[in-house]
Amino acid sequence: MYDKIYPDPEARGKRIREMRKKKGLTVKQLADMLDVAPGTMSRYQTGSTQKIPRPVLESLAAALDTDIDYLNTGKTPEPERGIQKQAASPDTLGAPN
């Protein structure tokens, strides 16, 4: 029913609602953080709004400590393959080879 351009708004809304509750926020508190009306935030959560403006979606993801891809698809980003970060230890900093 939905193509790759638009995520399923009901599923996205459910993820938003669940994450909001986990953060202990009310609809009004989250709406205030995003500078949107509580009714608008409620529509985002019920899926009655198909499109969420990109700047609002970015702020929403940041407020919920997630990313836009998770909100839209429910999938977490895969770690980059072949790149491993290593913490520098005092032994390797400035040590001659």
Side-chain angles (χ1 to χ4, degrees):
M1 180 173 188
Y2 295 97
D3 57 22
K4 291 182 180 182
I5 296 173
Y6 300 113
D8 177 350
E10 289 179 16
R12 179 179 55 200
K14 182 178 178 183
R15 284 187 288 277
I16 292 169
R17 183 174 48 257
E18 288 172 352
M19 295 188 77
R20 175 186 59 77
K21 288 181 177 184
K22 283 182 185 178
K23 300 273 295 173
L25 297 169
T26 65
V27 170
K28 182 171 178 358
Q29 288 171 325
L30 185 55
D32 288 346
M33 291 171 70
L34 302 176
D35 199 26
V36 299
T40 300
M41 186 77 251
S42 181
R43 286 189 296 278
Y44 292 162
Q45 288 188 158
T46 62
S48 62
T49 298
Q50 175 73 36
K51 299 178 187 177
I52 299 176
R54 180 75 182 200
V56 174
L57 197 56
E58 290 170 350
S59 297
L60 182 58
L64 297 175
D65 294 323
T66 191
D67 58 41
I68 293 172
D69 288 337
Y70 178 75
L71 291 178
N72 283 335
T73 67
K75 296 178 183 176
T76 55
E78 292 185 28
E80 294 183 41
R81 299 184 194 280
I83 299 176
Q84 294 182 4
K85 293 183 180 180
Q86 294 180 349
S89 69
D91 297 339
T92 60
L93 292 176
N97 289 343

